[in-house]
């Protein structure tokens, strides 16, 4: 093979396929991708951003492939995004598929030429095994997802993912599944989608942003009642309304209280709402140790069970944040004004301050706004060839530290506040309440409605 090797063109010329849409299955092999199109073609696609490499190799939009006088629409489906840190074989096992030839060449992993010469027949079966198996693994994974969505979650079968539209990373798959489930919570899915988009933010980098903005302004000003919107949807005559639904949104109504959203806020302390208070299991006695049988306190399935009991807010939160030159209030003043209007477990406040007493409840996050913004916006300098890199925006660089007489970017929640009021002395609670409020986010009682349909009607009005 050489830089000019273009296997796709060779196959399409010989097969004379009538299919115009091509799904190119792979498992993270840039070299295979190069040989499938030729180096010059794939180089241009990489440089233009038409083919991207993050958690897997992907085509954000199908690319046009010209072979002779025919045009094809090509989408790369890299299943590496489904496997986490595992390989293709572990992905196969997770869907109940056995790759019989996968381990035959393990002794020759670093010297495949020797394996080819020593065992040509086995090498051929090994080389073709991935190609033969990819399609079966892909189909099995899609069927597993469809079963979970339909039978376990309750999403209508017609709305479940198919082989053509399934997201290719676990993160996007979970997020899109949640969105599909939310669409089923109202009596009319299209009205729910309208409300989600009305409270959303368009993606200004989209190629058709200007047209989408026109559609957004038209739809949100024209349709202010459920009846008028339902009539328009039934008629299907409003092209701008159609574009309103098709437009690319950077954030919807459910994602503007997310880590991604807040981490991208610059020149405003709201960015500190992106901090996630995790990792409570720290070694606070590093000079002491014991050697005996122990229990892992990170209980299996505990996290998932807790998530099932959470209240999931729908809509936009209220945000309190400050520019660099603004004076910030104390936690005491903020609570005095808003505490009666806060919904338990649906608010968070980030605070900083010095103390004269020792505390061991509130952890500090030693992080700057630059580090927070860099987690969301600075991926230009990530090493995407590093399999161990951390692509999770929630894992913002900075130390989680327990500082006894100081709190820096500590997080106050319903439970933390209740605990402080229960156990702190009068002097301690005074000092804690006098800490500076960096930012806060809350869903307020005054904004609460009794049902999803009532929420939809309020948003559309």
């Amino acid at each position: 093979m050489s830089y000019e090797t273009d296997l796709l063109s060779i196959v399409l010329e010989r097969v004379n396929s009538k299919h115009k849409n091509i799904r190119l299955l792979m498992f993270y092999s840039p070299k295979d991708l190069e040989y499938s199109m030729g180096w010059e073609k794939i180089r241009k696609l990489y440089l233009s951003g038409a083919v991207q490499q993050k958690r897997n190799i992907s085509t954000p939009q199908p690319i046009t492939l010209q072979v002779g006088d025919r045009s094809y629409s090509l989408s790369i489906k890299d299943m590496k995004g489904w496997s986490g840190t595992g390989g293709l074989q572990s992905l196969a096992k997770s869907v109940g598929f056995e790759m019989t030839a996968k381990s035959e060449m393990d002794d020759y992993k670093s010297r495949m030429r020797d394996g080819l010469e020593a065992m040509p027949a086995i090498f051929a079966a090994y080389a073709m095994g991935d190609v033969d198996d990819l399609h079966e693994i892909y189909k099995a994974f899609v069927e597993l997802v469809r079963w979970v969505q339909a039978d376990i979650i309750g999403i209508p079968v017609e709305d479940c993912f198919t082989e053509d539209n399934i997201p290719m990373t676990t993160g996007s798959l979970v997020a899109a599944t949640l969105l599909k489930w939310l669409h089923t919570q109202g009596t009319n899915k299209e009205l729910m989608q309208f409300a989600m988009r009305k409270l959303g933010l368009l993606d200004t980098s989209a190629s058709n942003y200007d047209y989408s903005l026109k559609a957004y302004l038209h739809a949100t000003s024209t349709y202010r009642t459920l009846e008028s919107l339902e009539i328009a949807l039934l008629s299907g005559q409003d092209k701008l309304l159609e574009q309103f639904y098709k437009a690319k949104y950077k954030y919807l109504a459910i994602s503007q209280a997310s880590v991604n959203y807040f981490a991208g806020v610059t020149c405003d302390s709201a960015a500190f709402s992106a901090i996630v208070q995790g990792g409570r299991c720290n070694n606070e006695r590093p000079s002491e140790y014991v050697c005996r049988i122990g229990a892992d306190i990170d209980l299996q399935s505990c996290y998932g069970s807790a998530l099932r009991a959470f209240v999931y807010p729908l809509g936009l939160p209220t945000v309190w944040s400050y520019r660099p030159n603004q004076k910030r209030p104390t936690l005491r003043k903020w609570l005095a004004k808003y505490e009666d209007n806060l919904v338990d477990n649906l608010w968070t406040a980030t605070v900083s301050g010095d103390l004269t007493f020792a505390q061991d409840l509130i952890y500090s996050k030693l992080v700057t706004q630059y580090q927070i913004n860099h987690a969301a916006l600075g991926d230009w300098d990530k090493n995407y060839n590093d399999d161990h890199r951390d692509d999770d925006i929630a894992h913002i660089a900075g130390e989680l530290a327990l500082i006894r007489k100081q709190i820096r970017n500590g997080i106050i929640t319903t439970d933390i506040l209740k605990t402080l009021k229960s156990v702190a002395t009068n002097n301690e609670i005074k000092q804690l309440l006098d800490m500076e409020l960096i930012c806060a986010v809350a869903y307020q009682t005054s904004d609460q409605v009794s049902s999803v349909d009532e929420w939809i009607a309020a948003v559309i009005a």
Side-chain angles (χ1 to χ4, degrees), residues 426-459:
N426 290 338
N427 178 56
E428 290 170 346
I429 195 68
K430 178 183 181 301
Q431 292 186 47
L432 290 164
L433 292 177
D434 283 339
M435 288 188 295
E436 180 182 72
L437 181 75
I438 305 300
C439 59
V441 184
Y443 289 88
Q444 300 188 90
T445 304
S446 56
D447 297 325
Q448 192 171 0
V449 293
S450 60
S451 69
V452 172
D453 286 335
E454 187 180 344
W455 176 80
I456 293 171
V459 172

Side-chain angles (χ1 to χ4, degrees), residues 6 53 101 126 157 170 184 194 214 229 293 320 375 452 454 459:
D6 184 351
Q53 176 186 333
Y126 169 84
V157 173
T170 51
T184 68
F194 186 96
K214 180 181 179 180
L229 180 56
I293 296 174
W320 293 264
V452 172
E454 187 180 344
V459 172

Side-chain angles (χ1 to χ4, degrees), residues 133-146:
D133 294 342
L134 278 175
H135 188 241
E136 296 304 318
I137 298 170
Y138 187 85
K139 288 198 302 181
F141 188 88
V142 173
E143 284 305 309
L144 174 62
V145 170
R146 286 175 61 83

